[in-house]
Amino acid sequence: MDREPVPKKPRVGEEESNGLHSPVTLCHTAPSNELWYQESLKAPEAFWDQLAKERLEWIKPYDKVMDVDMNSGDIKWFINGVLNVTVNCLDRHARDNPDRVAVLWEKDEPKQHEPVTYKQLLDMTCQVANVLKSQGIRKGDRVVLYLPMIPLAIAIILACARIGAIHSIVFAGFSAEALSSRINDATAETVITADEGVRGGKTIPLKETVDTALKESPCVKRVLVATRTGAAVPMAAGRDHKLEELMKEESTECPPEPMDSEDPLFMLYTSGSTGKPKGILHTQAGYILYTGLTQQYVFDCRPGDVFACVADIGWITGHSYVIYGPLSNGVTTVLFESTPVYPDPGRYWEMTERLKVTQIYTSPTALRMLLKSTNEYVTKYDRSSLRILGCVGEPLNDKAWQWYYTVVGEGRCTVVDTWWQTETGGIMITPRPSANDSTPKPGYPMNPFFGIEPVLVDDKGEVITGNDVTGNLCIRKPWPSMARTIYGNHEKFLETYYRPYPGYYFTGDGAYRDKDGHYKITGRVDDVINVKGHRLGTAELESAMNRDGRVAETAVIGCPHDVYGQAILAFVILKDGVTDDEDSIITGLKAMVKTGVGSFAVPHKFLIVPGLPKTRSGKIMRRILRKIANNLYEELGDVSTLANPPVVNDIMQKWLKEA
Ligand code: WT7
């Protein structure tokens, strides 16, 4: 067969000598971009087969590469294969290079980092895995994690994978109530947390929040508590245990559980159009293959690299590019506990100099926040180790792109604006610098990754051909790390992703394909908003606020914000007869969101209005609210068909007065 060879023999490359590493054996021969891409679409089975055989260590080989029906949403990859992802992330590297640094923990405390080698991480993971087993946790059990960014968190995550338990990480910024609803949805019997977290010099009361959550989560039988600050926290007798104490009793060896390719690896909740967050489920082989592949090729990852994805492990970016992708490739991953502005806006670049970071992967919001300070915070540090500057979560606007490229990268590094989702498991549309891709264009994630075939579809479901066109972004071909289901609700999974456009995976985003065929994301086409790169369902925020007895109805929309991308704007209608002053109402609503979801989701602006624009059937016309909030009054269109036309003018007056 005439095909571009996938690199076979691992090649040890030039080692960057920063004293932290021993040589890595990551393959690094960049295949020709276009050829490889064409091949991946023409013969997907052969393409993925070769990669799965070469890149993964199997306990038992699979019989068939894939069995996927994009109409019915039945998805299986590497059928009947048996493996354990932790063998791929730990054992094989610890075997060859035990002293290579797996994790560089960048502590919240300025200028402090601690290395953890592959051998140490393997030992720690096995010890935790043995604790889990001693506690009676078995394959298929759900374990909820509410953790700070510490190396032990990675060992806990991998320990679940070691024994085949399904981890469900809940971002440590979520409230007790949000945590409890996720625990209950998964009917988890085990929660693992820490005494406290530390971020930006402040402590976060993790155990306390867990204790509050558990009042509403009777399914939980045990809580394991790791130590970060050593603060004294209440321990419920019989239920709570100090993790490190239990670890002392356990051996550092734990045989990996043989896992079927399609056994669940983890679930992760994300917001959709409806009120209830969805537990997106990912499985074993396809996920580990695709995250490793993208980590290597999108970031041009080479032996000796220090890869710094600064996302929290509570989001998919942290799962795929702090933990699974880089560790499966045996490279050094940075675990960043702090914030971009602690102790000052030079934090990323001071860290870059100290750790000799080669790739940094952050969010447009962080960049927009940083570019407000003087460039000296960047330029005073040596950034010559950097080669790739990555970004994810929301559109990277021109100003931020230019600043990243010119000031941070001195015009020498490639900017990769990567588009993907919790549901896709890994990066989907992105420049591919390892393969001499065309020069990235600001604001454009550019091109589909190997094996990915994006299509634009109009509202009737017709595929839009040609270039210089806009449409609903769908994906035509299956890829290994695609989500398999929504935990406990397969019907919802099909309804959300496979029924809107039969035969395609529907992303929920709109996109533009320019005259050269490059992609730009135009934003969500559903009621999901994206604030600081965090996805929030409007219905989720509304239902939290609607619990305030003084409120009749609320409607949340996203409006443009120069740092956050989108700010959250809440329209509020009060019940008849409520005479409380606006400040007290707003304070109350903020508290409602803080308890119902978390501080990070509190709306930035509230507008108390006499009514909301509705269709005759009672549906809120968010489109009209969005136009008003964007000051696009001429574009409101015909409002005479609304159930209550005058309300539009009332809202506009209120907006003009307060905006
Ligand atoms: C939504 C997914 C996947 C990691 C972070 C977010 C938006 C993501 C980009 C980008 C424009 C982007 C989309 C997508 N998004 N990356 N490069 N340009 N928009 O994961 O929470 O699942 O959110 O984030 O709207 O659907 P997520």
Side-chain angles (χ1 to χ4, degrees):
M1 194 169 45
D2 181 21
R3 75 198 303 267
E4 188 72 13
V6 173
K8 284 223 167 59
K9 273 272 163 272
R11 202 185 74 186
V12 179
E14 308 72 36
E15 185 70 0
E16 306 245 12
S17 109
N18 55 14
L20 293 166
H21 310 277
S22 50
V24 278
T25 47
L26 178 72
C27 14
H28 180 256
T29 320
S32 143
N33 192 38
E34 210 30 52
L35 257 176
W36 222 34
Y37 180 68
Q38 292 309 337
E39 201 57 47
S40 74
L41 292 196
K42 244 191 315 189
E45 297 230 12
F47 178 81
W48 293 115
D49 187 28
Q50 193 176 353
L51 287 166
K53 287 203 172 106
E54 289 176 359
R55 296 182 70 95
L56 299 182
E57 189 167 310
W58 294 89
I59 296 171
K60 175 181 160 284
Y62 48 89
D63 302 331
K64 191 168 177 228
V65 174
M66 61 167 109
D67 195 351
V68 183
D69 184 335
M70 296 291 273
N71 276 291
S72 66
D74 290 330
I75 304 159
K76 287 196 183 70
W77 281 82
F78 308 114
I79 292 129
N80 294 331
V82 177
L83 81 175
N84 187 292
V85 299
T86 68
V87 170
N88 286 277
C89 289
L90 298 174
D91 303 57
R92 58 176 175 169
H93 311 306
R95 202 156 53 212
D96 300 340
N97 299 88
D99 300 329
R100 185 192 303 160
V101 175
V103 177
L104 260 179
W105 182 31
E106 172 73 3
K107 300 178 74 166
D108 188 58
E109 292 84 348
K111 301 193 181 171
Q112 286 193 36
H113 64 264
E114 284 176 20
V116 181
T117 66
Y118 271 93
K119 173 78 169 82
Q120 288 167 333
L121 188 60
L122 174 61
D123 288 354
M124 232 200 294
T125 299
C126 287
Q127 268 183 316
V128 180
N130 286 327
V131 169
L132 300 183
K133 288 210 276 196
S134 301
Q135 290 287 319
I137 300 160
R138 299 280 171 266
K139 180 173 175 174
D141 289 351
R142 281 81 53 219
V143 177
V144 170
L145 310 180
Y146 192 68
L147 289 166
M149 296 282 285
I150 57 176
L152 185 53
I154 298 187
I156 293 165
I157 290 160
L158 294 174
C160 291
R162 187 86 173 170
I163 67 163
I166 307 169
H167 60 75
S168 170
I169 311 182
V170 177
F171 170 58
F174 275 110
S175 67
E177 217 173 284
L179 171 60
S180 161
S181 73
R182 285 159 176 76
I183 294 170
N184 297 345
D185 186 70
T187 55
E189 293 183 354
T190 309
V191 175
I192 310 183
T193 188
D195 45 9
E196 295 178 316
V198 192
R199 206 162 174 257
K202 299 195 191 85
T203 52
I204 306 158
L206 299 176
K207 174 62 164 60
E208 192 184 310
T209 306
V210 168
D211 286 339
T212 311
L214 295 197
K215 292 188 183 135
E216 305 298 327
S217 293
C219 52
V220 173
K221 294 194 180 137
R222 62 189 81 79
V223 180
L224 307 182
V225 186
T227 305
R228 169 59 177 95
T229 64
V233 290
M235 300 289 284
R239 187 196 70 180
D240 301 353
H241 311 274
K242 289 266 183 200
L243 180 58
E244 286 90 344
E245 279 171 25
L246 298 180
M247 282 169 71
K248 278 191 213 132
E249 312 291 309
E250 301 290 347
S251 131
T252 53
E253 271 171 41
C254 174
E257 183 72 29
M259 302 298 288
D260 185 275
S261 298
E262 283 300 331
D263 279 333
L265 174 59
F266 68 85
M267 53 208 263
L268 180 60
Y269 285 83
T270 190
S271 297
S273 310
T274 51
K276 206 167 155 265
K278 308 172 282 192
I280 299 295
L281 190 102
H282 284 286
T283 58
Q284 312 273 329
Y287 177 80
I288 201 68
L289 176 66
Y290 194 79
T291 52
L293 189 72
T294 45
Q295 196 275 333
Q296 183 181 344
Y297 287 107
V298 173
F299 298 99
D300 188 20
C301 202
R302 302 177 194 173
D305 278 356
V306 176
F307 180 76
C309 168
V310 295
D312 194 279
I313 52 169
W315 307 112
I316 191 67
T317 313
H319 285 62
S320 300
Y321 299 107
V322 175
I323 305 174
Y324 287 110
L327 293 181
S328 73
N329 286 333
V331 299
T332 297
T333 186
V334 172
L335 181 68
F336 182 71
E337 190 182 26
S338 197
T339 85
V341 291
Y342 181 73
D344 63 46
R347 180 64 187 250
Y348 282 171
W349 325 117
E350 185 277 321
M351 172 181 86
T352 296
E353 175 181 291
R354 183 164 31 87
L355 304 184
K356 301 233 182 329
V357 170
T358 42
Q359 293 93 347
I360 189 155
Y361 192 29
T362 183
S363 70
T365 291
L367 297 174
R368 285 190 297 261
M369 195 157 69
L370 295 178
L371 66 78
K372 292 186 149 196
S373 308
T374 65
N375 290 343
E376 228 220 302
Y377 280 114
V378 185
T379 53
K380 70 174 164 186
Y381 300 108
D382 177 6
R383 285 127 33 243
S384 57
S385 56
L386 283 174
R387 296 200 318 273
I388 304 280
L389 307 172
C391 204
V392 64
E394 28 163 350
L396 180 59
N397 55 305
D398 195 61
K399 192 173 169 198
W401 194 98
Q402 298 296 352
W403 184 79
Y404 209 15
Y405 181 72
T406 321
V407 178
V408 175
E410 304 169 297
R412 188 177 50 69
C413 304
T414 311
V415 172
V416 293
D417 175 355
T418 65
W419 174 87
W420 59 294
Q421 312 176 293
T422 303
E423 294 87 339
T424 68
I427 295 169
M428 300 287 282
I429 304 185
T430 173
R432 287 163 291 176
S434 61
N436 298 322
D437 202 2
S438 44
T439 313
K441 226 163 107 171
Y444 280 72
M446 299 294 287
N447 302 317
F449 190 73
F450 305 119
I452 305 302
E453 191 184 3
V455 287
L456 298 179
V457 179
D458 68 18
D459 288 334
K460 290 188 214 81
E462 298 292 328
V463 171
I464 305 167
T465 54
N467 286 343
D468 192 17
V469 288
T470 305
N472 300 310
L473 178 61
C474 293
I475 310 292
R476 177 151 31 202
K477 280 211 166 43
W479 67 100
S481 67
M482 59 205 297
R484 300 303 196 260
T485 192
I486 291 173
Y487 186 80
N489 201 345
H490 195 62
E491 195 46 34
K492 172 110 199 149
F493 177 74
L494 299 177
E495 181 196 311
T496 313
Y497 306 110
Y498 290 95
R499 291 208 187 112
Y501 302 107
Y504 307 103
Y505 164 79
F506 174 47
T507 66
D509 280 327
Y512 166 67
R513 186 166 54 224
D514 76 0
K515 59 176 178 27
D516 304 315
H518 301 313
Y519 288 89
K520 180 189 175 86
I521 307 301
T522 54
R524 300 289 305 192
V525 296
D526 53 12
D527 288 329
V528 168
I529 53 183
N530 196 321
V531 183
K532 304 189 203 171
H534 299 321
R535 187 159 143 190
L536 292 168
T538 51
E540 222 174 318
L541 305 186
E542 288 158 10
S543 63
M545 290 191 287
N546 292 347
R547 284 188 298 180
D548 186 312
R550 300 169 296 182
V551 159
E553 196 172 11
T554 54
V556 167
I557 60 163
C559 65
H561 186 282
D562 63 348
V563 175
Y564 304 156
Q566 285 190 306
I568 314 173
L569 171 60
F571 294 86
V572 180
I573 311 178
L574 299 179
K575 281 188 183 153
D576 285 345
V578 172
T579 54
D580 301 22
D581 66 84
E582 293 202 355
D583 283 349
S584 105
I585 305 247
I586 292 170
T587 310
L589 293 181
K590 283 184 174 167
M592 286 289 175
V593 178
K594 203 173 160 204
T595 16
V597 185
S599 312
F600 68 95
V602 170
H604 304 97
K605 196 160 174 56
F606 294 83
L607 218 55
I608 296 178
V609 293
L612 289 167
K614 288 193 178 169
T615 59
R616 295 239 166 89
S617 59
K619 198 170 164 348
I620 300 174
M621 297 289 288
R622 287 163 202 282
R623 187 180 56 80
I624 293 181
L625 298 175
R626 280 193 282 263
K627 293 284 181 204
I628 296 176
N630 282 285
N631 304 319
L632 298 169
Y633 313 117
E634 330 69 60
E635 293 179 21
L636 285 177
D638 181 12
V639 298
S640 65
T641 55
L642 294 177
N644 47 354
V647 84
V648 175
N649 198 36
D650 295 342
I651 296 174
M652 235 153 71
Q653 294 310 325
K654 183 94 186 190
W655 171 252
L656 287 170
K657 207 169 100 210
E658 302 206 1

